[in-house]
Each structure stands twice: as C-alpha cells, then as structure tokens.
Amino acid sequence: MSAGSDRHFCLRPRGVLRGAVLTLVFTGVLATAAATGSLPRQDAAGAESADAARTSTVDRAALNRAAAAAMADGKSGKQAAEEFVSRSGDRWGAVYDKKEYADFEQALDGTYTGVGLSAGRDAEGRVKVTRVQAGGPAERAGLRPGDRLVSVDGRPVGGLSVSEAVSLLRGDGVPGSAVALRVERGRSAWTETLRRARLATDPVTVRRLDDGAVLIKVAAFTKGAGARVRDAVRDAPTGAGVLLDLRGNSGGLVAEAAVAASAFLDGGLVATYDVEGEERAVYADGGGDTGRPLVALIDGGTMSAAELLTGALQDRGRAVTVGSRTFGKGSVQMPSALPDGSVAELTVGHYRTPAGHAVDGRGITPDLTAGEKAEERARTVLSGLGGGS
C-alpha cells in the first residue's frame, strides 16, 4: 500500500552512509513533520511570512555531541537529536531511526515494500482502496478500487489515519512477510492473507489528448522519472505540444529533475544553490527539444524538485506556467549519522532559480493563474502556442 511521500531536499554526500558518490536529493515536507507541528505556518493567501522563510541551520557537531551525551546517560540519542533540532529553529530538519531512513531511501529509488494498494477515505470516513497496482499481491488476490479495509492483522483501521493504516500494511517492510486484511465489498466481507512484496512505483504517466497534444504527469522525481519524461518527449509526434503536469508533485531526486529539464532545454543553468556558504549549480544536458510548445501545470502541492524544474522552465522562457503558486520548499538538507545509528537531516543552504529568485518560503507564481479549471485553461494556452489541433 502506498501513500503520498513527503520528503526533504537534501544535499547528500553519500560518504556519510555508503560510498563517496555525491547525490542531491530534493523533495517535499515529511509527513511526520505535519504530525509534530514543525511545518511552517502560512497566511490566508497560502504565502509563508518573511520570518518563516528564514531557515536556521544546525551545528552538526553540537548535535552529535548532544546525542552522544544522551546515550552515555542511558537515554535515547534519537530523542535527544529531535529535541536539539526542534530548539534550533530548523523548520525542515528531521531525525530518522534506521528503518525510517531505509524506507526513505527506498522510496527515492522508486520502490516500496507492501501489497500494492493505495487508500483514502470514502464519504462516510471509512478507509477504502483507491488504486490497485498492476501485478502486485493485492491485484493477484482480486482486490479492487472501492473495496473497504476493515482491519489489518486483526487491528481495526476505522479510527486510524490513512497513513497509520499504510504503516500497518507495510509492517516491518520485509518482502514475503504475511499480512491479513479484513475486506468489505458491498454486503460481502472476507479475510485475505497477502504476502508483502518489493514493488516499483510509477511516477510518470503519459497519454495523448484528443487535440493531439501529449500530457505528461509527473507525481514525483524518483529514480528513473527524468528519463521517462525525456523518452516521452522524444516519442511525441512531431509538432505535438506537451502539457507537463507537476501538480501535487512532492519532489524527489534533484538529478532526476535535471534530466527532465534536459528534455526541454539545450543545456544551461537549471538552478544554483549554496551549501554552508559555498555556491554550486545544477545544469541541464544539451540536445533537448527547445521548439516544441510547452505548458507546465503547477499548484500548491508542487514542491521542491518540481519547483526547481518549474523555475528553470519559467525563467528561461521555455514554458508557460499555469495554475496556482507552488509550495515554497527550496532548502538544502545534509544527513548526519548519529552514534545510535539514526540519521538527522539538517538544513545547510538554499537554492535559487536561474534568474536568482529564492523559492523557500515564497514559491513560484504561475504566468497565468487558474483554479479548478486549470487543466482546461492550460490546454487552451497550449493550443494557442500551436501545440494542439
């Protein structure tokens, strides 16, 4: 079972955890941050205040000393780190135990361990199946969208949040482990025992619109997403416009966002960022399709890596952006391994669009504002650019 993954933008030197390869990770807000009240507050218009936009950075050496001291006193190093990060004012900082961090990295690789269900609430507040992943354990067992989940391993899910139900379904995250689901369909009810499996997510969907344009929907920039976008652009019919839907995109790997940018740009700057005062940059590869009409759809759920891509396309005049202002997550996190094996993601800098605009706490304002009929307006704009019949 999968749910929306909310993650961080991290500048991650892999030598901290495994090897010396430098990888950039650029994602949205942790779901756990919402539960602990560490998300930034927004005003009625959805814009974060200037004070909220100023993100503190954490002294990583002091954090490690605090965690080590707590462990020497027989306390939890992870809990001490959480308290330290909370006091620091780092609104994007977070601390993971070993399993949480392993799940985090697995999600960024585009995989998860579960039974292949997505869930939501129905009109009566019950947990229902909203999607069944093709080829997964749930599909093989005959489950389908609209089925209601009553319990997981005997524990009723009626009083749980959807994310808590997801956690029960994933269990210990071990492929092959069993989980018993009590399911209702209409007036029928039964118990189905499934075996968890390692499943791949499908963050990119492509479809041809009735006017000849191509819609590319990117839900997250997990491993391989950028190449999927690039291939979809290359395979699009000559002259067909592209509607790039980044609404609700929670972020992902910045390298994948750069590959996606390379599908539409012939090299050049995608973004700049600073890490503890040192300026760096992300560039697109050459050879992208610079002539095909392009409209990007964005909204308040467009975060992090998706904002990086949006900013590059907008600043460089490559796309018309339609929708509503993006979330505003443009900070850089770096992981620090703690003495007890947990990992703290700490803010060390911020990124800017090619024109030098800061995104953190501000978001990106679309060229054309549109609400519920954003897709309809975007298609009209694309047609006006010559991208539809």
Side-chain angles (χ1 to χ4, degrees):
M1 181 171 183
S2 64
S5 67
D6 294 330
R7 301 294 182 185
H8 286 272
F9 172 42
C10 316
L11 179 66
R12 171 173 302 185
R14 306 295 273 194
V16 172
L17 295 174
R18 54 171 196 237
V21 180
L22 181 66
T23 302
L24 289 170
V25 179
F26 188 19
T27 54
V29 189
L30 274 175
T32 51
T36 59
S38 61
L39 289 176
R41 291 174 292 184
Q42 297 188 340
D43 61 27
E48 296 171 22
S49 68
D51 287 340
R54 287 193 287 268
T55 303
S56 301
T57 57
V58 177
D59 184 332
R60 288 181 286 141
L63 172 63
N64 275 275
R65 289 195 297 269
M71 292 177 63
D73 290 339
K75 301 176 182 178
S76 166
K78 179 176 182 288
Q79 184 177 356
E82 289 171 336
E83 293 173 353
F84 189 97
V85 172
S86 178
R87 291 194 304 269
S88 73
D90 184 350
R91 64 194 178 106
W92 299 118
V95 182
Y96 306 83
D97 62 27
K98 283 183 177 180
K99 181 181 182 302
E100 290 169 341
Y101 202 70
D103 289 344
F104 168 58
E105 294 210 307
Q106 187 182 85
L108 289 174
D109 285 339
T111 63
Y112 71 99
T113 299
V115 297
L117 293 179
S118 293
R121 293 279 182 190
D122 63 15
E124 289 74 40
R126 297 171 295 187
V127 178
K128 70 172 183 178
V129 176
T130 57
R131 186 178 68 87
V132 179
Q133 184 166 336
E139 184 193 54
R140 293 195 297 270
L143 299 184
R144 60 195 191 204
D147 289 345
R148 297 182 299 277
L149 295 180
V150 179
S151 66
V152 177
D153 283 337
R155 181 175 176 181
V157 299
L160 303 179
S161 67
V162 172
S163 61
E164 288 172 327
V166 168
S167 181
L168 289 178
L169 280 169
R170 290 190 174 182
D172 55 9
V174 177
S177 59
V179 58
L181 310 184
R182 184 67 178 172
V183 182
E184 290 181 346
R185 180 184 299 163
R187 296 184 178 181
S188 301
W190 72 98
T191 298
E192 193 77 47
T193 299
L194 307 177
R195 295 282 176 181
R196 298 180 179 94
R198 180 70 61 83
L199 301 169
T201 58
D202 188 10
V204 179
T205 55
V206 183
R207 65 185 176 92
R208 188 82 179 271
L209 301 177
D210 53 14
D211 62 359
V214 175
L215 173 65
I216 303 176
K217 168 70 175 177
V218 188
F221 284 105
T222 52
K223 188 175 181 181
R228 290 282 306 280
V229 173
R230 181 191 59 209
D231 293 345
V233 174
R234 288 177 177 172
D235 293 342
T238 302
V242 169
L243 184 58
L244 181 64
D245 191 349
L246 300 175
R247 292 174 298 177
N249 185 311
S250 58
L253 296 160
V254 75
E256 296 297 334
V259 172
S262 300
F264 305 103
L265 300 171
D266 187 13
L269 189 63
V270 173
T272 59
Y273 59 97
D274 60 277
V275 177
E276 297 177 333
E278 181 183 346
E279 293 294 327
R280 305 182 188 183
V282 178
Y283 294 95
D285 294 330
D289 188 332
T290 60
R292 189 184 298 274
L294 175 64
V295 173
L297 266 170
I298 57 176
D299 66 4
T302 304
M303 302 179 182
S304 304
E307 291 178 285
L308 180 151
L309 174 59
T310 300
L313 297 177
Q314 185 184 62
D315 281 5
R316 297 185 57 183
R318 182 60 188 91
V320 176
T321 53
V322 177
S324 54
R325 183 165 49 186
T326 62
F327 184 85
K329 168 68 169 68
S331 57
V332 183
Q333 274 75 43
M334 181 177 289
S336 290
L338 302 177
D340 64 352
S342 56
V343 177
E345 293 275 4
L346 309 173
T347 298
V348 295
H350 299 84
Y351 89 95
R352 293 179 178 272
T353 67
H357 302 303
V359 172
D360 202 53
R362 295 177 176 85
I364 295 173
T365 301
D367 298 313
L368 295 174
T369 300
E372 293 182 359
K373 296 185 178 181
E375 183 171 334
E376 180 180 329
R377 188 168 189 188
R379 292 177 66 170
T380 299
V381 171
L382 187 60
S383 178
L385 295 173
S389 58

